[in-house]
Amino acid sequence: MRKWKNFTAERVAGFKCKAGRQQSIYWDGKTPGLGLRITTAGSKSYIFETRLHGRTFRVTIGDLRTWTIGKAQAEARRIKALSDQGIDPRLQQAQRRAENEAQRNEVIRRDLKVADAWNAYIRARRPKWSARHLADHQNIAHLGGVKLAGRNQLSVAGALAVLMPLKLAEIDSKRVKEWLRNEAEHRPTQAALAFRLLRAFLNWCADTSDYRGIASANACQTRIAKDTLPKSVPKTDCLQREQLPAWIAAVRSINNPVISVYLQTLLLTGSRREELASLKWNDVDFQWQSLTIRDKVDGKRAIPLTPYVAFMLGTLPHRNEWVFSSPMAASGRLQEPRIQHNQACSVAGINELTLHGLRRSFATLSEWVECPVGMVAQIMGHKPSATAEKHYKVRPLDLLRMWHTKIESWFLEQAGIKLEDVQPGLRVVGTVRGNKRKTKRPADELHR
């Protein structure tokens, strides 16, 4: 049988859990239904018990340290009034808790940093990205200030680094326009890339429940880029025929043999810079004279291993799995050959020739040997542009090799390089501008 005692501060402080029980409840004589529950651990909390729709139910009001006796009694009377009206106070409590939780979550959402959402975006999208696309996202948000391996300098912050410490809720069109204007002044190309990546990121946020509605929906309007970024002009840098001797001579004189061979191979294969830089030794078949290139479009493609390129690759050291290895790079392979290339171009008297310009040079200068356009496109990894090229012409590697060898032979002829001079016993076969040439290798040539 329940015992009722009017709650006082002294009585409440003296209540204890009865021996042999996990909890004891003492009931207030002044407010029917109000009780004080005490556990064996010593915790004390106010509860209220009443009936609703013919059933007894009990709700917890709160901890003794939080609720005074007067407030607990008032809350008990409020709950009793609701139950008398047929309203379940537990539902109100649940709704109130849900509202409080939503408010807390909204505060957390509003305080969320761009960097946190950006990292979540990368984790979510990473399986669908190529290695290059992932590297773009990591580099563009890099905070900089890290010592570069093998260099006495620190890394430069990425174009999006200045936005990373901000709250995601602070990203609106005004801030994006101000940021883009500052970045476009000294690195417009990186600013344009950063704007595209930021726009895709904000679109992802708008489609993801955890981040929806935090940033401004129109923070990255296309009009902002049009008004802020300078108009892009397609690059046309390309080696001219008369520049080949000076360029090749300057590149061959580079002290680092890996970079020297890399740059010459880049020109003689028309590959993209990262495709060639990521070449592994198991991608090189000296026996069947082929290279397997990690194509960014089709995954990979096989191209001929021409005589001079094969000779150059055969001179490189086997430090690790990478053909163009670098003991100084964390990845173990060549990362940045532009410095030496720019120096070589300066020695050769050639201005503003990029690494991609070497790919453009291969495509352009190949016309001197009247090589079919489809052959050049297949070697370079370009998508076929005509129906016949897409569906009806399947060129074997031997046919590509015939034309690729002619192209290489023409390049070497312009540069004044003779294969038999760089490696005795190696000669060229094929027809270049009406002159018959043959390629012959010793029996043990190019076997590893």
Side-chain angles (χ1 to χ4, degrees):
M1 184 175 178
R2 293 181 179 177
K3 293 183 179 181
W4 302 80
K5 292 183 179 180
N6 292 347
F7 283 175
T8 64
E10 184 179 356
R11 283 178 177 173
V12 167
F15 287 150
K16 294 182 180 179
C17 184
K18 295 178 181 179
R21 297 186 181 182
Q22 292 186 347
Q23 67 177 20
S24 297
I25 300 177
Y26 297 86
W27 302 97
D28 183 22
K30 184 177 181 180
T31 310
L34 176 63
L36 180 68
R37 180 173 55 202
I38 307 174
T39 65
T40 54
S43 65
K44 299 180 179 181
S45 57
Y46 289 109
I47 63 171
F48 181 76
E49 184 177 285
T50 189
R51 293 179 64 82
L52 178 67
H53 305 311
R55 292 186 177 184
T56 300
F57 75 90
R58 182 183 293 173
V59 294
T60 300
I61 294 176
D63 193 276
L64 175 68
R65 293 167 295 183
T66 305
W67 292 78
T68 64
I69 296 175
K71 287 184 178 180
Q73 291 171 338
E75 179 66 11
R77 288 191 291 270
R78 188 189 70 82
I79 296 173
K80 177 62 176 173
L82 290 174
S83 62
D84 289 346
Q85 299 174 51
I87 300 173
D88 192 337
R90 292 168 297 181
L91 298 179
Q92 279 199 339
Q93 281 189 337
Q95 182 179 358
R96 193 159 50 202
R97 282 195 298 268
E99 290 174 353
N100 292 338
E101 184 68 20
Q103 289 177 356
R104 284 195 296 270
N105 290 340
E106 187 62 23
V107 171
I108 294 173
R109 276 163 49 88
R110 292 295 170 182
D111 289 339
L112 181 72
K113 302 295 185 183
V114 174
D116 296 331
W118 182 264
N119 292 332
Y121 169 60
I122 290 178
R123 288 194 298 271
R125 301 295 298 168
R126 185 171 188 162
K128 299 180 180 296
W129 290 346
S130 66
R132 181 63 190 176
H133 197 55
L134 173 62
D136 283 340
H137 283 78
Q138 293 171 335
N139 294 336
I140 212 75
H142 179 57
L143 298 180
V146 178
K147 189 177 185 304
L148 296 174
R151 300 186 208 171
N152 190 24
Q153 64 184 90
L154 302 179
S155 60
V156 178
L160 282 178
V162 69
L163 298 181
M164 290 295 127
L166 301 179
K167 295 179 181 179
L168 187 60
E170 295 175 335
I171 304 300
D172 54 19
S173 58
K174 181 180 179 181
R175 188 174 293 274
V176 169
K177 189 171 185 177
E178 180 183 354
W179 157 78
L180 192 59
R181 185 185 300 111
N182 293 335
E183 290 295 329
E185 287 181 0
H186 62 280
R187 46 181 175 183
T189 303
Q190 280 294 299
L193 172 62
F195 180 82
R196 293 194 299 271
L197 298 185
L198 178 63
R199 181 171 55 192
F201 161 67
L202 293 179
N203 287 339
W204 176 83
C205 288
D207 292 335
T208 305
S209 58
D210 290 344
Y211 309 101
R212 184 179 298 125
I214 302 180
S216 174
N218 53 355
C220 282
Q221 298 178 24
T222 304
R223 176 180 51 79
I224 295 177
K226 287 184 177 180
D227 294 344
T228 309
L229 292 171
K231 292 184 178 179
S232 59
V233 178
K235 292 184 178 180
T236 58
D237 57 312
C238 176
L239 279 171
Q240 301 301 313
R241 177 186 178 187
E242 58 273 15
Q243 294 174 324
L244 278 174
W247 184 88
I248 291 184
V251 169
R252 292 183 71 190
S253 65
I254 293 176
N255 291 331
N256 188 325
V258 173
I259 294 180
S260 176
V261 172
Y262 171 79
L263 293 174
Q264 292 178 77
T265 306
L266 204 59
L267 172 65
L268 294 173
T269 61
S271 300
R272 301 174 181 91
R273 59 169 293 181
E274 277 300 310
E275 289 177 347
L276 192 61
S278 61
L279 190 69
K280 298 181 179 180
W281 284 115
N282 57 14
D283 296 327
V284 184
D285 191 334
F286 287 97
Q287 180 178 1
W288 299 107
Q289 303 167 33
S290 68
L291 294 176
T292 301
I293 302 293
R294 306 295 171 178
D295 194 301
K296 76 169 188 178
V297 178
D298 295 323
K300 62 181 179 180
R301 69 179 185 277
I303 67 172
L305 177 61
T306 50
Y308 184 62
V309 171
F311 161 70
M312 290 192 296
L313 298 186
T315 65
L316 296 179
H318 283 248
R319 297 190 184 103
N320 48 36
E321 61 180 328
W322 307 106
V323 174
F324 302 104
S325 59
S326 172
M328 303 299 294
S331 63
R333 67 174 178 87
L334 183 64
Q335 294 293 330
E336 188 51 84
R338 287 184 297 180
I339 296 175
Q340 287 85 346
H341 180 238
N342 292 340
Q343 291 173 350
C345 288
S346 178
V347 170
I350 300 171
N351 297 324
E352 298 182 356
L353 178 63
T354 63
L355 295 180
H356 196 77
L358 298 178
R359 176 172 166 86
R360 192 177 293 110
S361 301
F362 176 83
T364 303
L365 296 174
S366 294
E367 295 185 358
W368 282 93
V369 299
E370 299 178 354
C371 179
V373 175
M375 295 283 185
V376 176
Q378 188 169 335
I379 293 171
M380 296 178 65
H382 277 158
K383 280 288 188 181
S385 57
T387 301
E389 289 286 336
K390 289 180 181 178
H391 305 293
Y392 295 99
K393 291 187 179 180
V394 181
R395 302 180 184 89
L397 193 60
D398 282 346
L399 182 58
L400 289 179
R401 182 179 295 109
M402 181 185 76
W403 282 103
H404 201 171
T405 302
K406 291 179 181 180
I407 295 170
E408 180 187 84
S409 176
W410 182 86
F411 273 88
L412 297 180
E413 180 182 340
Q414 303 309 307
I417 297 176
K418 295 182 180 179
L419 286 177
E420 53 267 30
D421 292 340
V422 296
Q423 185 178 25
L426 190 62
R427 295 185 294 112
V428 178
V429 192
T431 303
V432 181
R433 294 193 302 165
N435 298 325
K436 292 186 177 178
R437 297 172 175 265
K438 294 199 171 181
T439 302
K440 291 191 177 178
R441 287 177 285 274
D444 60 347
E445 174 65 20
L446 304 181
H447 289 266
R448 304 180 75 81

